[in-house]
Structure formats: structure tokens, C-alpha cells
Amino acid sequence: MTLTESPVAESEAAADTDGAVEPESSAGALEAPRGLAQPFMTSDAAHVGRLFVVASLVMALGKAVIGVLLSFGRTDAVAPDDLFGGLNAYFRLWTLYRVSFVLLVVMPLLLGLALAVVPSQVGARNVAFGRAALASFWSWLIGAVIVVASVLAGGGWGAVDGVTGNESDAMALTLLGTGMVIVALLLGAIVVATTVISLRQTGMGLLDVPPFSWSMLVTAAVWLFSLPVAIANIVVIYADLRGRPAIAFGRPESPDIWLQLDWLVEQPAVYAMAVPVLGIIFQAVGASVGSRSSRPEAILIVIGLFGLLAVGGWSQDYFTAPQDLRDGLVYVAFGLAAVVPVVATAGGVGELVLRGSKTRDRLLDARVLGAGAALKLLGAAALVGALRVIEPLDLLETSVTWSVFHGVVVAGLIAAVAALGTWPQLLFGPLQQKLARPAIMLLFGGGGLLVLADLISGFIADDPDLMALALDGSIALNVVALIGSVLVLGGLAAVLAAVASALRPSTAHASEAA
Amino acid sequence: MRTTELPAAESTRPRTVVVGSLLATGATFVAFAALVSVYVQQRQHARALGEEWFPSGTVELGPAGMMMMTLMLSVVTVQWAVQAARAEDRPHGFIALGVTLMFGAAVINQFWFVYQDTAFAIDGGRAELLFYAVTGSFIAMLIAAMATLTVTTIRSLMGPFGRDLAHAVQASAMFWHMCVLCYFLVWYVVFITK
């Protein structure tokens, strides 16, 4: 047995309750650039991580506004044509909302948390490639700006009512931005994974890393197997779109482009952004109640299993007959099995609570509230996902797809709030409970309503309506969805307020004094 | 009580460049494999409908086989560069890297000939479109591999071969091997089975 593979008591003893360990040596500590140059020059991953988190939260706020507008468009109070200036414009924002919440909000948010937290957890001074982490952030941000700007300029991922040649150029720009964002996220994932694999403290085996670091390693593996497939899709679409006239895959007047990429926001690929949520849940609860699992290896297995079930590049049905793939045994098995790791996580969290301190303050801590809310929403999403793949229910091409999506996305947002409270010293400082708790409750309420509205709408819809271009469900359900969207928007505003409050020097000093 | 602070032991897992490159190489391979799978699926679909994929005689095997041979030789030379870097043998390292880059340029030149020879229009049909998507992506990957090798060569000119540089050469070689593997897929799927 080699030394590197054997767990040692010292490293475990060095780990505090939130899993952070002291770096091996402080020698060679980074000299960070100061002032305005810092965001452009720093190779300190903690700083890059914070940039990712703030930018993602700002993006989330913008996308939540779009969500409210889309929900308002479903209420029959005003026709989408009037509200957005045409059905095609509605479709553009509808697709932007979905792609953005995955690629521009939740994935970079969790990646940012990982860049800030993982090095400390594995006992490294910094991530493996500090400058690559910074390149990841800036290329993601530039790609995100390109995506949003090009969509607003008439681009997007296809159309439904025919477009002009100018819009085809904007679509090419959207594809370019999407590809750039994906490559940036992959680069960040590689940085995090390499840090866990190569820069662990001496004596810390791969199975000894804390749950969040492990979940990020699993996430990186899942992204590396899934996101490059989207790059391949984009290459094919782009080649067709620019080869004029587009003949097959990139026809700008049809929704074909979206249909080649929609697997990214559907089961099972949508679970890929929820894998770190499990790691955060375990650590947030453990840190709050002050306990550790008696079976840490079981936690790693649960997270690994969820990651395995989140690999989704194979599940795109554009190139095959949809019924061949989605009625197939593998797709159904993936959908049903995703419930298992979430239920196992609930069991693991229950054990942590039972073994820990169960005082009222600790159980009402924002970390526990956030972890519990994220777990409930993720569990709801996994259950709805299991229902969705049951063929006799005929839910595959209905709004139930977006019930799963909303559950996972909002669970990711809530888990991020729990993480901000769990590792304040590595992020923005202590969050004010009076802001963090309402933020979590608003997000949980909003996410729950969205999951419920889309689920029931899917059950009562007469015809498959995956695009939601026709207004499905009853007006009452659409109003419920609108309320949910508004609550999510309010929750995100509260999260940003909590982060801003934590960043204020006076708050930090007061917290230190306390 | 006085304690003695011992220096931290050197990590036994320092090969960050190799590990990072391995992950990046794997991701690139996944992307290329997905691209090839789209090609195969579309070709299968077309044939199931009784359609012709490429007009007969348009895609010749000769140049493609020559490229395969060239890249097989480059596998040897790039590994020669890795060995030279490990042994800190600068002359052999430069020669090996230079020859590898020359092989890469030869393949790009050969592809130019293939494009002229086939004279496909990119909007000529699904087959032509995917032909350009797959081979164009391969050329982009090959250029990226040549760029990393060039950077490594320049770095080696600026100082002595050390462990870091040996790892950098090894990482570049890994990406190069992946490119050759990808070309093997192209060779078999596009040029042999057409």
C-alpha cells in the first residue's frame, strides 16, 4: 500500500467540521494583484470563485425576470405575441431562460463555489491551474454576454415562424457564445478535478476527501462526458448554418437547432448540475449540527451513483426516432433510478441530524434550512422525473419536463445559499440569517410552486406541448406558476442582498466582534 | 514544551499538467466521438432509405491511407520526443518535435488535396456537410496539437529540460496520440466504409 492511498489520522484531525483543512505549507503564498487589476490578473482561485458566484447570481436575477415575463405570458392576461412582439420572440426568450439557467447560472455558480472551497478542503494552497481558472471565468462571462446579446438581437437556438438572413447571423453568434460558455465550464471543471486528483494533502486518499470536493470531482467527470457532446452538436449545426443555405441541422427557420440541444436541460443531463448539491447538503448539515457520518464511504457512493445517472449525452433523440430512445429500457431505468441516491441522501442527512446537536438554533440555521429545502426540491424533481419516464402516463413531451428542470435548478440555487453559509471564510463572510432564511424560503416556495404547476399542467394537457407555445394547463395553474416565478425572483434578490450585506466592511467587523 | 516543525513532505502527486491534459484530452475525444456518431447515424439512416451517401468514386482511399501512415509515424516521433525530454537529451528532443510538427503539416497539406479532389459543396447534402464537419474538426484538433507542441518546443529552447518540461512534452504527446486515434476513426468511418 502506498502512502498516498492510505488515510492518516493527522489529515482527518486537521479537518474541521466543514471539511476544510490547513494547507501543507504557507510558503509561497500567492501575492494577489490589488485594485482594478485584481479581477483580470489574479490567479487566486478563491477570488475567481467569488467572481463566478457574483456574476452567476446577477445573471440569475436577469433570467428570473425573464421567467416572470414568460409566466405572465402564460396567464392569458396578455397574448405572448403582444407581450414579446411575436411568437418567435417568445420562443427565443423561452429557450434563453432554459439554457441560461443551466449554463449561465447554476453550473457556474456551483463551479465558483468549488473553485473557492475545494483547494482548502484538500489541503492545497490554490487550484491546480490558477490562470486557467481565471481564463475560465472570463471566457464564460464573455460567452454569456454574447449569448444574451445575440438572442436579444434576434438570434437564439432556432425559430418557429421563419426568419430573415440577418437573424441567421445572430443565431451563429448565439451558437458561438454557447460553445464558448461550454468550453469555459469544461476548463473550470478540469481545474477543479485536477486539484482534487493531484493536489490533495499528503496522506489524503481520494476516498478521504470531503463530500463537496468528491461531488465536484464526480461533477467534473459527468460534465466531461456530457458537455463535449453538446460541442459536437454545435459544430454540426454551425457548419450547416454557415454553409448557406442550411439544409438539415441548422435551418434557421425551424426549431431544429433547439431540438438538437434540448437534451442539455432535460433528464438525465439536467441532473448533472445537481451532483454538487448532494455534497453541499451533507456538509452544510454536518457543519451546522456538528456531526459526521458513520459511513462516509456510503456518502461517496451515493454521490457517485447520482453522477452516473446524470450522464446525458447519449439521451438526445434528435437523430433517432424519439420513441425508440425514450421508451427504451435504459432511459426509463435512468429516470427511475435517480430517485435512489436522493432518498439515500435523505437517509444520510437524517443520520447526521440524529448524531449531532439538535438544538433549535442549529436546526433553524440557514445552512440546515437550505440543505433541507434543496433536498426536498431535488427529491421532488427526481420523483417527478421518475413519473415522467413511465410510458403509460404519457408525460414525456409535456410540461412535466420543466417541472423536473425547475426542481433541479432551484435546488441548485438554494444549495448555493447553504454553501455560502457553510464556508463564509472562503467566500463573502458570514451571511445575515435574517436575509438568508427569507431567501431560502422564497426560493423554496417559488421552486415548489413551479414544480407543482408544471407537473399538474402536464397531467391535464390534452396534447404534447413541450415547447409550451400553446398555453397548456388551466389559467389557475398558470397563475400559480407566475407566483412561483415571482417568488424565485424575490428569493434571488434576497440572496444578492445577503451577499452584498456580507461584503460590507461594517457588517464584517460587527460579525468579527460578535 | 518545545515542538519541532518539520518541513512538509514533497507531494507524491505533482503531475498536475499531465492529469489536467489527460482530462482535457478525454473531453476532446468525447466531443469528436459524438461527432463521428452523428455521422454514422445519419449515414445509416440514409442507407436505410436507399439513398446514396457519397457519389461513387468521389472519396478516394489512397490519400487517406497516406495520412494514416504519416500519423502512425508521428506517434513514434512524438514518443521519441517524450523520451528525449525525460532523458534531458536536447538534440534528440528538438529533432523529434520538429519531425512531428512536419508530419502534422504534411497531413494538413494532404487534407487540402482531398478537399480539392472531392470538390464537395458544403450545402450539397447531409453527407457533404458532415464530411466537412468531421474532417474540419479533426484538422482543428491537429492544429491545436501542433500549437501545443510548438509552444513546448519554444519553451525548451529557452531553458534546460526539467521535470516540468518533460511533463509538458508528455501532456502534448498525449493530446497528439488522441488526435491520431481520432484520425483512425475518420479513416475507417469516412474513407474506408464511406
Side-chain angles (χ1 to χ4, degrees):
Chain A
M1 183 190 288
T2 60
L3 183 63
T4 53
E5 298 301 325
S6 60
V8 292
E10 286 81 1
S11 66
E12 288 182 3
D16 59 20
T17 50
D18 59 9
V21 294
E22 288 296 320
E24 283 183 342
S25 166
S26 60
L30 297 167
E31 285 191 22
R34 303 273 174 200
L36 289 175
Q38 194 177 31
F40 303 99
M41 305 284 287
T42 183
S43 57
D44 178 5
H47 192 81
V48 177
R50 288 192 285 271
L51 288 173
F52 257 122
V53 171
V54 170
S56 308
L57 287 174
V58 171
M59 289 271 180
L61 204 61
K63 302 306 172 287
V65 171
I66 294 175
V68 171
L69 289 175
L70 291 171
S71 295
F72 188 62
R74 287 173 61 182
T75 57
D76 281 357
V78 56
D81 281 24
D82 297 335
L83 184 62
F84 300 101
L87 200 57
N88 209 23
Y90 175 78
F91 179 71
R92 273 203 299 273
L93 288 182
W94 186 84
T95 47
L96 176 66
Y97 174 77
R98 277 149 181 78
V99 171
S100 295
F101 257 116
V102 174
L103 295 178
L104 308 188
V105 176
V106 180
M107 279 183 170
L109 182 60
L110 296 170
L111 180 62
L113 292 170
L115 287 170
V117 172
V118 165
S120 295
Q121 288 202 327
V122 299
R125 285 191 295 271
N126 196 10
V127 290
F129 311 107
R131 279 175 289 182
L134 187 65
S136 164
F137 170 73
W138 282 108
S139 45
W140 168 80
L141 189 64
I142 293 167
V145 169
I146 290 174
V147 166
V148 174
S150 62
V151 170
L152 295 179
W157 298 268
V160 285
D161 61 353
V163 289
T164 65
N166 289 339
E167 284 170 324
S168 141
D169 285 339
M171 279 179 193
L173 205 57
T174 307
L175 290 172
L176 184 74
T178 312
M180 207 166 158
V181 164
I182 291 174
V183 169
L185 291 172
L186 281 171
L187 183 60
I190 287 170
V191 169
V192 172
T194 308
T195 305
V196 177
I197 294 169
S198 286
L199 296 184
R200 295 190 312 280
Q201 195 176 41
T202 306
M204 180 186 274
L206 199 56
L207 298 179
D208 300 323
V209 298
F212 180 60
S213 291
W214 172 260
S215 71
M216 280 311 301
L217 180 62
V218 173
T219 302
V222 174
W223 289 7
L224 291 177
F225 274 108
S226 298
L227 293 182
V229 180
I231 296 280
N233 288 128
I234 289 171
V235 166
V236 171
I237 297 167
Y238 190 85
D240 192 15
L241 190 65
R242 305 309 288 171
R244 290 179 182 169
I247 51 168
F249 310 102
R251 286 178 300 164
E253 72 280 6
S254 77
D256 282 10
I257 297 175
W258 170 250
L259 293 175
Q260 286 164 85
L261 293 169
D262 66 353
W263 62 270
L264 266 175
V265 297
E266 294 181 12
Q267 280 176 282
V270 75
Y271 293 137
M273 60 181 164
V275 180
V277 172
L278 299 188
I280 292 171
I281 287 171
F282 280 117
Q283 292 220 241
V285 173
S288 185
V289 302
S291 68
R292 287 182 175 219
S293 172
S294 62
R295 302 292 300 275
E297 69 280 2
I299 290 177
L300 304 188
I301 290 170
V302 165
I303 293 171
L305 177 62
F306 194 61
L308 186 68
L309 296 170
V311 176
W314 58 272
S315 69
Q316 52 181 307
D317 60 355
Y318 178 81
F319 298 104
T320 55
Q323 63 274 18
D324 291 349
L325 180 84
R326 301 210 163 177
D327 291 345
L329 183 64
V330 179
Y331 191 79
V332 174
F334 264 58
L336 295 175
V339 178
V340 176
V342 183
V343 171
T345 301
V349 168
E351 191 222 359
L352 286 174
V353 173
L354 286 175
R355 286 164 62 94
S357 168
K358 293 184 278 292
T359 62
R360 188 170 179 278
D361 282 351
R362 286 181 180 245
L363 292 178
L364 288 180
D365 187 276
R367 291 171 291 184
V368 176
L369 284 180
L375 183 57
K376 286 186 189 96
L377 269 183
L378 190 58
L383 276 173
V384 173
L387 287 176
R388 180 175 169 265
V389 298
I390 296 172
E391 203 270 334
L393 296 178
D394 205 15
L395 296 173
L396 274 178
E397 304 296 318
T398 68
S399 62
V400 171
T401 305
W402 310 120
S403 180
V404 180
F405 170 81
H406 280 123
V408 174
V409 162
V410 183
L413 294 172
I414 297 174
V417 181
L420 293 175
T422 305
W423 297 289
Q425 74 280 13
L426 298 170
L427 292 156
F428 304 106
L431 290 186
Q432 287 189 31
Q433 295 277 333
K434 65 181 180 185
L435 283 172
R437 282 183 191 145
I440 289 167
M441 299 318 291
L442 284 170
L443 286 171
F444 179 63
L449 289 180
L450 285 170
V451 169
L452 200 64
D454 282 335
L455 174 65
I456 299 173
S457 290
F459 268 107
I460 65 176
D462 293 331
D463 300 312
D465 185 24
L466 190 62
M467 297 286 184
L469 292 173
L471 303 176
D472 57 355
S474 71
I475 294 175
L477 282 172
N478 290 334
V479 171
V480 170
L482 174 62
I483 296 169
S485 299
V486 172
L487 290 180
V488 169
L489 176 62
L492 285 167
V495 175
L496 272 171
V499 170
S501 171
L503 283 171
R504 275 167 47 199
S506 57
T507 311
H509 291 153
S511 303
E512 282 171 16
Chain B
M1 193 174 94
R2 188 177 173 188
T3 57
T4 304
E5 289 184 9
L6 294 174
E10 189 182 359
S11 171
T12 53
R13 297 182 288 264
R15 292 152 53 102
T16 51
V17 174
V18 177
V19 172
S21 301
L22 187 64
L23 294 172
T25 300
T28 313
F29 183 73
V30 171
F32 195 79
L35 204 54
V36 171
S37 68
V38 169
Y39 179 94
V40 171
Q41 195 283 331
Q42 290 292 298
R43 187 180 63 186
Q44 198 175 3
H45 182 66
R47 286 180 178 164
L49 295 175
E51 297 170 2
E52 189 180 43
W53 188 242
F54 288 131
S56 59
T58 51
V59 178
E60 297 292 340
L61 186 57
M66 185 63 75
M67 285 189 277
M68 189 71 245
M69 291 298 292
T70 308
L71 286 170
M72 291 301 287
L73 286 172
S74 77
V75 167
V76 177
T77 56
V78 82
Q79 208 52 40
W80 176 21
V82 172
Q83 289 300 323
R86 281 183 186 153
E88 301 200 6
D89 184 347
R90 294 170 69 89
H92 278 95
F94 292 143
I95 293 169
L97 288 169
V99 172
T100 308
L101 286 172
M102 190 191 70
F103 283 146
V107 169
I108 292 171
N109 181 51
Q110 191 77 306
F111 255 114
W112 182 253
F113 170 78
V114 169
Y115 287 156
Q116 299 293 316
D117 190 40
T118 53
F120 286 150
I122 194 167
D123 56 353
R126 287 181 185 231
E128 289 82 352
L129 168 66
L130 288 171
F131 175 80
Y132 280 116
V134 170
T135 56
S137 298
F138 168 74
I139 292 172
M141 282 163 48
L142 188 64
I143 290 171
M146 290 171 69
T148 55
L149 273 182
T150 306
V151 170
T152 310
T153 308
I154 291 170
R155 277 183 62 192
S156 65
L157 285 169
M158 293 168 69
F161 279 166
R163 196 180 66 171
D164 286 349
L165 193 62
H167 286 160
V169 175
Q170 194 181 347
S172 305
M174 225 158 38
F175 193 76
W176 189 276
H177 291 320
M178 186 272 300
C179 282
V180 175
L181 181 61
C182 286
Y183 181 74
F184 180 80
L185 288 177
V186 174
W187 181 58
Y188 181 75
V189 171
V190 177
F191 291 100
I192 292 186
T193 61
K194 293 187 176 62

